[in-house]
Amino acid sequence: MTTYLISDFPDVLASRELQVEIDALQQQDPTAIVTQYAYQNQAELLEKLEQTDILITAFLPIDAELLSQLTRLKGIAVNATGTSTIDLKAAAKHGITVQPLGDYSTEDVANHTLGLILALNQKLPAHTRQINAHIWQYEAVGAITRLGSQTLAILGFGRIGQAVAKRAKAFGMTVIAVDPYLPEAVAQKQGVSLVSLSEVFDKADIISLHLFAAADSPPLCDAAFFSQLKRQPLFINVARGCLVDEAALVAALDSGKIRGAGLDVLQSESPELRNSPFLGRDNVILTPHAGFYSQESMAYLQLKTVENAVDIAKGAKHV
């Protein structure tokens, strides 16, 4: 008998049909006992996990303190590609397997990235506001620069970064990338130059983040980062909210160091939007961590996560 807990923030659980996962778990593991918990606090989560063999989650804070108190938990099947909210060193220390998804939404995230770039560059939010005010003048939103004359800097040139580059080059853009872990030949094959961060500061008209990051890592994009930008680029983040110092980003928007921002992620997975400094701006587009989403990606996400969870329960070494 294996006890599985499907748990996440309430809005995350509400966004998908959990019965799909429950049915798949019970089909793949006839001994499965499946429970659900819409996260409220760490104390309640601990109480639930003390009775759990396998946790299925995407975004819950699984820190060292929590993990140190769990004697029964065997593993965590992450229904996302990232593990930034999980202390992986502590999990390994306590013999808890952590298995994220591999490639399941590369196409969707790359398309979402280009959607944000196109909407901001063509100033579609500003056009919409003007038309809602009954103003029918293309020049009312200010100057627009042709996309094909611009340089896109991709920070993190893995699967998603490479998919973004392919789409950007179809629009005639020059693409540069920063990735110290990637062989230069991989980038060269795609017509992309690997560069230093200082070159990004000098050359980028658009910056797009596609990096992994741990939740406790200092933000890469802080006040010092934004202060060095030379060309007032668009700034796109579909990666991890913890990569960006939001106060510094707001200051960069206010000062004109960047000309716009497309953000699919914020520092919080459940942000308080009522007083958000990003709202009410023509040059900012927020989406609710939706870049991965399509019917196809959701179906794969649910079923592959279940497969990973059952493999952990069975003691598989490679899941």
Side-chain angles (χ1 to χ4, degrees):
M1 183 176 66
T2 304
T3 299
Y4 299 86
L5 174 65
I6 301 172
S7 183
D8 227 305
F9 295 106
D11 58 331
V12 175
L13 293 183
S15 70
R16 65 183 196 264
E17 178 50 65
L18 297 183
Q19 194 61 45
V20 171
E21 293 162 47
I22 295 169
D23 290 346
L25 280 168
Q26 293 175 336
Q27 181 178 18
Q28 295 186 38
D29 182 356
T31 73
I33 296 175
V34 185
T35 59
Q36 304 172 41
Y37 168 59
Y39 179 83
Q40 298 299 320
N41 56 64
Q42 290 294 88
E44 285 189 6
L45 178 60
L46 172 60
E47 184 180 335
K48 300 291 184 182
L49 288 176
E50 286 175 334
Q51 309 302 318
T52 296
D53 297 304
I54 310 293
L55 170 65
I56 295 175
T57 190
F59 304 117
L60 290 189
I62 310 297
D63 57 21
E65 181 180 358
L66 179 66
L67 289 165
S68 69
Q69 301 176 72
L70 301 175
T71 58
R72 178 170 173 174
L73 191 69
K74 295 179 180 178
I76 305 169
V78 185
N79 45 17
T81 57
T83 56
S84 61
T85 64
I86 302 172
D87 189 321
L88 297 179
K89 290 183 179 179
K93 176 182 177 182
H94 296 290
I96 297 171
T97 300
V98 178
Q99 179 61 49
L101 291 171
D103 179 13
Y104 81 100
S105 60
T106 295
E107 179 179 356
D108 306 286
V109 177
N111 290 343
H112 197 87
T113 302
L114 264 294
L116 291 171
I117 291 172
L118 286 166
L120 288 166
N121 190 73
Q122 304 308 123
K123 300 187 176 180
L124 301 189
H127 278 305
T128 299
R129 181 179 59 80
Q130 294 284 348
I131 289 171
N132 286 340
H134 308 144
I135 299 171
W136 188 262
Q137 296 175 356
Y138 66 84
E139 71 275 17
V141 301
I144 293 175
T145 302
R146 182 177 293 168
L147 205 60
S149 68
Q150 299 184 55
T151 295
L152 168 65
I154 297 174
L155 306 191
F157 204 58
R159 284 189 298 260
I160 295 174
Q162 292 174 37
V164 170
K166 179 180 179 181
R167 287 156 174 76
K169 289 179 73 66
F171 284 92
M173 300 186 70
T174 299
V175 181
I176 58 179
V178 175
D179 195 321
Y181 306 105
L182 189 79
E184 191 169 350
V186 175
Q188 289 177 341
K189 186 176 181 180
Q190 301 187 47
V192 174
S193 299
L194 288 181
V195 301
S196 65
L197 202 54
S198 63
E199 288 185 71
V200 171
F201 296 144
D202 291 339
K203 298 178 180 179
D205 300 295
I206 302 168
I207 295 172
S208 191
L209 305 186
H210 301 283
L211 302 158
F212 287 112
D216 58 354
S217 299
L220 169 68
C221 303
D222 55 10
F225 177 96
F226 292 116
S227 71
Q228 296 178 75
L229 299 175
K230 304 294 194 298
R231 300 176 64 84
Q232 296 181 295
L234 293 175
F235 181 79
I236 309 296
N237 186 11
V238 299
R240 296 290 180 268
C242 60
L243 290 166
V244 181
D245 180 328
E246 290 182 0
L249 175 56
V250 170
L253 285 163
D254 290 342
S255 68
K257 291 298 292 184
I258 60 173
R259 72 180 194 270
L263 308 172
D264 187 46
V265 288
L266 296 173
Q267 287 176 338
S268 172
E269 281 295 334
S270 300
E272 173 52 62
L273 296 175
R274 190 179 306 276
N275 299 311
S276 173
F278 295 117
L279 298 186
R281 298 173 184 259
D282 286 347
N283 63 340
V284 174
I285 298 176
L286 298 182
T287 53
H289 205 158
F292 74 96
Y293 177 72
S294 68
Q295 291 180 331
E296 293 83 355
S297 68
M298 282 299 294
Y300 181 87
L301 175 152
Q302 291 185 280
L303 296 178
K304 182 60 177 178
T305 303
V306 165
E307 181 182 321
N308 287 343
V310 173
D311 280 347
I312 294 171
K314 293 178 178 178
K317 298 298 183 183
H318 302 284
V319 296

